[in-house]
Amino acid sequence: MSVSQPVPSRQTGNAALSAELSELLSVVEPSSVVNVMLQRGFVHEATDIHMDPTPAGVRVRFRVDGAMQDIFPIPAEKAHHIISRIKVLGGMDITGKRLPQDGTIAADQIPGMPRDVRVGSSLTVYGERIVLRLLPDSTEFVTPESLGLLDSQLAAVEQLTAAPYGLLLVVGPVGSGKTTTVYSLLSQLNQPDKSVVTIEDPVERRVTGANQIQIDPKSGLLFANALRGVLRQDPDVIAIGEIRDAETAQIACRAATTGVLVLSTLHANNTGSAIDVLRHFGVSSMAISDCLRGVIAQRLVRRVDTRSIEEYEASSNERRMLGVRGDETLTLARGKRTEENFHTGFHGRTAVFETMPVSPAIRAAISDGAAAFSIRNRAVAEGMVQLEDSARQLVLDKKTTTGELTRVMHDVRMYEGFGEEGTTA
């Protein structure tokens, strides 16, 4: 068996993969085990590989479709050699363990590995922990039409990106697909007659024709001062990887009112709460109402595995959850739990959205200092489809399950607060 070539496709689950890697541990050197582990990570479409220390060694898990999957254990006597090999490949100090380190394994360092891998290390009570981030295909862009937006949402997004200037935010928690959405919108905006600049940490995808800047905290290049410099260089479109602090938020808002279309991500629960985050960063309600053009909030849900799909009649609880009344039979879909899909019934993910263009009424509410829940309720009254309703539609379209819908509803409502005015129905 060759250990330098990946398997041709995602045909095996964690049991077969565990057996393969465990067997390799007993017959080959650490470098070959690392090579195969990374190759298999890409083949199985993992986004991350976690190597967590335990008293018995290291527990290796892949994050597939957003969920952690146990792959195989590395005995303590071999774990040190495997971790040292990864740190060498990543250009990290193998003698330094107390402080966190970052590194990168280039694709050309390992035969059969399609893309770069980012490496992060930190010290735990049981030893050194390694997390490997398998970078996405830098040449692969998802068009706005294929993001998963409903027709009305797509029309709203197209209207927002057609604006000559203003601030457009994509919000959600970590791992909700915000960056993919921004790149999608950016690829549409990246036309020969426009000057497009991105400021990122790090640059994950190359955008042909755009000027991409990677911030470097060690040298003092941060989002705020990079943004100041770019504004002196006649840009039409600026994409900021993330608004993380008050200074960046305020500069971005000023830029958005001076003839530049600014795209950025923000950690906020939903469209309305993005307003509160900007206020928390010290941007006045008047300034927000002047600069903000729209907010896109999103979550990722797992897709039913179409290779093992089965249909069934919805229960009374599921009908209630989906808002379906009457006696008509409702058929839903789920995936059979197989070795191929890691016994989850899912394969791949898609996004659910809510899109909030800033209408005159919403602009007035922001300017008047209205609370986040009030702004969001106003948007709903104007026809905004909420995250939960987008997920409901995916269930009815047999693309995801009521379990995923429940998770989205819990995630959204958990952070909305449970005051009398803020509680959602």
Side-chain angles (χ1 to χ4, degrees), residues 249-260:
Q250 292 167 8
I251 297 170
C253 285
R254 286 200 296 271
T257 58
T258 57
V260 180

mmCIF file with all atom_site columns, all heavy atoms in Angstrom, residues 249-260:
data_model
loop_
_atom_site.group_PDB
_atom_site.id
_atom_site.type_symbol
_atom_site.label_atom_id
_atom_site.label_alt_id
_atom_site.label_comp_id
_atom_site.label_asym_id
_atom_site.label_entity_id
_atom_site.label_seq_id
_atom_site.pdbx_PDB_ins_code
_atom_site.Cartn_x
_atom_site.Cartn_y
_atom_site.Cartn_z
_atom_site.occupancy
_atom_site.B_iso_or_equiv
_atom_site.pdbx_formal_charge
_atom_site.auth_seq_id
_atom_site.auth_comp_id
_atom_site.auth_asym_id
_atom_site.auth_atom_id
_atom_site.pdbx_PDB_model_num
ATOM 1  N N   . ALA A 1 249 ? -14.177 49.854 13.241 1.00 0.00 ? 249 ALA A N   1
ATOM 2  C CA  . ALA A 1 249 ? -15.603 50.096 12.996 1.00 0.00 ? 249 ALA A CA  1
ATOM 3  C C   . ALA A 1 249 ? -15.848 51.543 12.599 1.00 0.00 ? 249 ALA A C   1
ATOM 4  O O   . ALA A 1 249 ? -16.597 51.829 11.647 1.00 0.00 ? 249 ALA A O   1
ATOM 5  C CB  . ALA A 1 249 ? -16.407 49.740 14.245 1.00 0.00 ? 249 ALA A CB  1
ATOM 6  N N   . GLN A 1 250 ? -15.221 52.469 13.293 1.00 0.00 ? 250 GLN A N   1
ATOM 7  C CA  . GLN A 1 250 ? -15.450 53.883 13.015 1.00 0.00 ? 250 GLN A CA  1
ATOM 8  C C   . GLN A 1 250 ? -14.861 54.305 11.675 1.00 0.00 ? 250 GLN A C   1
ATOM 9  O O   . GLN A 1 250 ? -15.487 55.071 10.921 1.00 0.00 ? 250 GLN A O   1
ATOM 10 C CB  . GLN A 1 250 ? -14.902 54.720 14.164 1.00 0.00 ? 250 GLN A CB  1
ATOM 11 C CG  . GLN A 1 250 ? -15.699 54.524 15.459 1.00 0.00 ? 250 GLN A CG  1
ATOM 12 C CD  . GLN A 1 250 ? -15.007 55.078 16.684 1.00 0.00 ? 250 GLN A CD  1
ATOM 13 O OE1 . GLN A 1 250 ? -13.993 55.747 16.587 1.00 0.00 ? 250 GLN A OE1 1
ATOM 14 N NE2 . GLN A 1 250 ? -15.553 54.787 17.868 1.00 0.00 ? 250 GLN A NE2 1
ATOM 15 N N   . ILE A 1 251 ? -13.671 53.783 11.349 1.00 0.00 ? 251 ILE A N   1
ATOM 16 C CA  . ILE A 1 251 ? -13.063 54.118 10.057 1.00 0.00 ? 251 ILE A CA  1
ATOM 17 C C   . ILE A 1 251 ? -13.883 53.525 8.919  1.00 0.00 ? 251 ILE A C   1
ATOM 18 O O   . ILE A 1 251 ? -14.106 54.173 7.889  1.00 0.00 ? 251 ILE A O   1
ATOM 19 C CB  . ILE A 1 251 ? -11.607 53.617 9.999  1.00 0.00 ? 251 ILE A CB  1
ATOM 20 C CG1 . ILE A 1 251 ? -10.749 54.301 11.058 1.00 0.00 ? 251 ILE A CG1 1
ATOM 21 C CG2 . ILE A 1 251 ? -11.004 53.882 8.615  1.00 0.00 ? 251 ILE A CG2 1
ATOM 22 C CD1 . ILE A 1 251 ? -9.365  53.688 11.211 1.00 0.00 ? 251 ILE A CD1 1
ATOM 23 N N   . ALA A 1 252 ? -14.366 52.283 9.108  1.00 0.00 ? 252 ALA A N   1
ATOM 24 C CA  . ALA A 1 252 ? -15.174 51.644 8.075  1.00 0.00 ? 252 ALA A CA  1
ATOM 25 C C   . ALA A 1 252 ? -16.452 52.431 7.816  1.00 0.00 ? 252 ALA A C   1
ATOM 26 O O   . ALA A 1 252 ? -16.864 52.609 6.664  1.00 0.00 ? 252 ALA A O   1
ATOM 27 C CB  . ALA A 1 252 ? -15.510 50.213 8.486  1.00 0.00 ? 252 ALA A CB  1
ATOM 28 N N   . CYS A 1 253 ? -17.086 52.916 8.881  1.00 0.00 ? 253 CYS A N   1
ATOM 29 C CA  . CYS A 1 253 ? -18.307 53.710 8.710  1.00 0.00 ? 253 CYS A CA  1
ATOM 30 C C   . CYS A 1 253 ? -18.028 55.023 8.000  1.00 0.00 ? 253 CYS A C   1
ATOM 31 O O   . CYS A 1 253 ? -18.811 55.451 7.136  1.00 0.00 ? 253 CYS A O   1
ATOM 32 C CB  . CYS A 1 253 ? -18.960 53.959 10.070 1.00 0.00 ? 253 CYS A CB  1
ATOM 33 S SG  . CYS A 1 253 ? -19.812 52.519 10.733 1.00 0.00 ? 253 CYS A SG  1
ATOM 34 N N   . ARG A 1 254 ? -16.921 55.663 8.333  1.00 0.00 ? 254 ARG A N   1
ATOM 35 C CA  . ARG A 1 254 ? -16.575 56.915 7.649  1.00 0.00 ? 254 ARG A CA  1
ATOM 36 C C   . ARG A 1 254 ? -16.301 56.659 6.170  1.00 0.00 ? 254 ARG A C   1
ATOM 37 O O   . ARG A 1 254 ? -16.733 57.424 5.306  1.00 0.00 ? 254 ARG A O   1
ATOM 38 C CB  . ARG A 1 254 ? -15.359 57.571 8.314  1.00 0.00 ? 254 ARG A CB  1
ATOM 39 C CG  . ARG A 1 254 ? -15.664 58.211 9.655  1.00 0.00 ? 254 ARG A CG  1
ATOM 40 C CD  . ARG A 1 254 ? -14.596 59.236 10.032 1.00 0.00 ? 254 ARG A CD  1
ATOM 41 N NE  . ARG A 1 254 ? -13.299 58.618 10.223 1.00 0.00 ? 254 ARG A NE  1
ATOM 42 C CZ  . ARG A 1 254 ? -12.861 58.125 11.373 1.00 0.00 ? 254 ARG A CZ  1
ATOM 43 N NH1 . ARG A 1 254 ? -13.657 58.165 12.447 1.00 0.00 ? 254 ARG A NH1 1
ATOM 44 N NH2 . ARG A 1 254 ? -11.664 57.608 11.477 1.00 0.00 ? 254 ARG A NH2 1
ATOM 45 N N   . ALA A 1 255 ? -15.592 55.565 5.881  1.00 0.00 ? 255 ALA A N   1
ATOM 46 C CA  . ALA A 1 255 ? -15.293 55.240 4.480  1.00 0.00 ? 255 ALA A CA  1
ATOM 47 C C   . ALA A 1 255 ? -16.566 54.989 3.694  1.00 0.00 ? 255 ALA A C   1
ATOM 48 O O   . ALA A 1 255 ? -16.691 55.380 2.525  1.00 0.00 ? 255 ALA A O   1
ATOM 49 C CB  . ALA A 1 255 ? -14.388 54.011 4.424  1.00 0.00 ? 255 ALA A CB  1
ATOM 50 N N   . ALA A 1 256 ? -17.534 54.344 4.345  1.00 0.00 ? 256 ALA A N   1
ATOM 51 C CA  . ALA A 1 256 ? -18.778 53.979 3.666  1.00 0.00 ? 256 ALA A CA  1
ATOM 52 C C   . ALA A 1 256 ? -19.644 55.181 3.339  1.00 0.00 ? 256 ALA A C   1
ATOM 53 O O   . ALA A 1 256 ? -20.575 55.068 2.533  1.00 0.00 ? 256 ALA A O   1
ATOM 54 C CB  . ALA A 1 256 ? -19.559 52.986 4.528  1.00 0.00 ? 256 ALA A CB  1
ATOM 55 N N   . THR A 1 257 ? -19.370 56.312 3.960  1.00 0.00 ? 257 THR A N   1
ATOM 56 C CA  . THR A 1 257 ? -20.148 57.529 3.661  1.00 0.00 ? 257 THR A CA  1
ATOM 57 C C   . THR A 1 257 ? -19.405 58.463 2.718  1.00 0.00 ? 257 THR A C   1
ATOM 58 O O   . THR A 1 257 ? -19.901 59.550 2.420  1.00 0.00 ? 257 THR A O   1
ATOM 59 C CB  . THR A 1 257 ? -20.467 58.294 4.962  1.00 0.00 ? 257 THR A CB  1
ATOM 60 O OG1 . THR A 1 257 ? -19.246 58.629 5.631  1.00 0.00 ? 257 THR A OG1 1
ATOM 61 C CG2 . THR A 1 257 ? -21.348 57.459 5.874  1.00 0.00 ? 257 THR A CG2 1
ATOM 62 N N   . THR A 1 258 ? -18.223 58.043 2.251  1.00 0.00 ? 258 THR A N   1
ATOM 63 C CA  . THR A 1 258 ? -17.420 58.921 1.383  1.00 0.00 ? 258 THR A CA  1
ATOM 64 C C   . THR A 1 258 ? -17.198 58.321 0.006  1.00 0.00 ? 258 THR A C   1
ATOM 65 O O   . THR A 1 258 ? -16.174 58.567 -0.625 1.00 0.00 ? 258 THR A O   1
ATOM 66 C CB  . THR A 1 258 ? -16.058 59.233 2.035  1.00 0.00 ? 258 THR A CB  1
ATOM 67 O OG1 . THR A 1 258 ? -15.376 57.998 2.310  1.00 0.00 ? 258 THR A OG1 1
ATOM 68 C CG2 . THR A 1 258 ? -16.244 60.007 3.327  1.00 0.00 ? 258 THR A CG2 1
ATOM 69 N N   . GLY A 1 259 ? -18.144 57.480 -0.452 1.00 0.00 ? 259 GLY A N   1
ATOM 70 C CA  . GLY A 1 259 ? -18.081 57.000 -1.823 1.00 0.00 ? 259 GLY A CA  1
ATOM 71 C C   . GLY A 1 259 ? -17.470 55.627 -2.009 1.00 0.00 ? 259 GLY A C   1
ATOM 72 O O   . GLY A 1 259 ? -17.193 55.219 -3.136 1.00 0.00 ? 259 GLY A O   1
ATOM 73 N N   . VAL A 1 260 ? -17.256 54.865 -0.925 1.00 0.00 ? 260 VAL A N   1
ATOM 74 C CA  . VAL A 1 260 ? -16.669 53.528 -1.016 1.00 0.00 ? 260 VAL A CA  1
ATOM 75 C C   . VAL A 1 260 ? -17.695 52.498 -0.553 1.00 0.00 ? 260 VAL A C   1
ATOM 76 O O   . VAL A 1 260 ? -18.384 52.711 0.457  1.00 0.00 ? 260 VAL A O   1
ATOM 77 C CB  . VAL A 1 260 ? -15.389 53.415 -0.156 1.00 0.00 ? 260 VAL A CB  1
ATOM 78 C CG1 . VAL A 1 260 ? -14.797 52.015 -0.254 1.00 0.00 ? 260 VAL A CG1 1
ATOM 79 C CG2 . VAL A 1 260 ? -14.366 54.457 -0.586 1.00 0.00 ? 260 VAL A CG2 1
#
